Amino acid sequence: MTSKAVKLAIVAVLLVAAYVAGVFSYPIFSPPTKPELEDPIWARVKERGKIIVGSSPDWPPYEFYDEQGRWAGFEVELMEMVAKRLNLTVEWREMGFETIIPEIRDMTIDLGVSGFGITRERLDVVQYTVPNSVTMSQIVMLKSRRDELNITKIHSLEELNKLGITVGVQVGTTEHDELSKKAPDCMKVFDDYVLALQALKAGEIDAVYAESPQVAWWQLQAEKAGEEPLVVIYSGRPYWLIAWVANKKADILVEKINGALADLIEEGILDQLKAKWKIPG
């Protein structure tokens, strides 16, 4: 074969290879890879114009049912304000507190709004919006029971082991986690704080370990109803930043919510709402 023929053969092979490569790179044969949806949660929220929010309405003054059976409370009002600014409506779904994060992970709800404290363990499985308030943990007793046991103040949860009193907590809460580590033998776990408070008033337990806004609400309601006073025997340091929980993939949703919250903070509306519901921090 002459050198010219060799050159022509090489060119022919290259042309065929280029043709084959071109055919199989064409979309019909090898469609381009579609980029992953950046935030599937925000996509469906935007499409339906509604955000599905999971909450346990047993944590006044953050979320509860009012006398007419309607959702009410500090975080309920705040969530409605945020949704309005995002041109969304809110569908509230009642569920047990301990089931909200699993529902968020399974993407059966879009957001969790239920007085969630920011903890390292929860950060492993969900992401948070910016905090809306700060609380501290407190142990509350009936005044008569405190006086009967001659308890004034305690300065650590470990002291409960020496006192031997029974303390109620709600399952899945930060208080539940703390007592599990520091005074497990003193702990009695309830499905919600409504049941824990009922048990306290019925004399079935000695105390309840909850958070400061909720304790203040219980004290106020007891005073209004002319019931026996509730007194605080322990206060932790102010450290629970309260925020809303979302799926790890919900970056755009969280960004949108944070933007609306930032506006409400800047406009002073969040402070007004805190004052209305007597929320510290």
Side-chain angles (χ1 to χ4, degrees), residues 96-126:
F97 180 81
E98 75 284 0
T99 68
I100 296 174
I101 286 180
E103 296 268 3
I104 286 289
R105 294 182 67 183
D106 293 342
M107 294 192 287
T108 51
I109 58 175
D110 305 316
L111 194 70
V113 175
S114 205
F116 279 98
I118 299 176
T119 67
R120 181 183 298 275
E121 292 78 14
R122 290 172 181 164
L123 280 168
D124 288 339
V125 294
V126 295

Side-chain angles (χ1 to χ4, degrees), residues 212-229:
S212 49
Q214 190 173 25
V215 170
W217 178 268
W218 291 341
Q219 290 174 315
L220 178 62
Q221 297 306 305
E223 181 181 345
K224 285 182 177 179
E227 297 176 350
E228 182 177 349

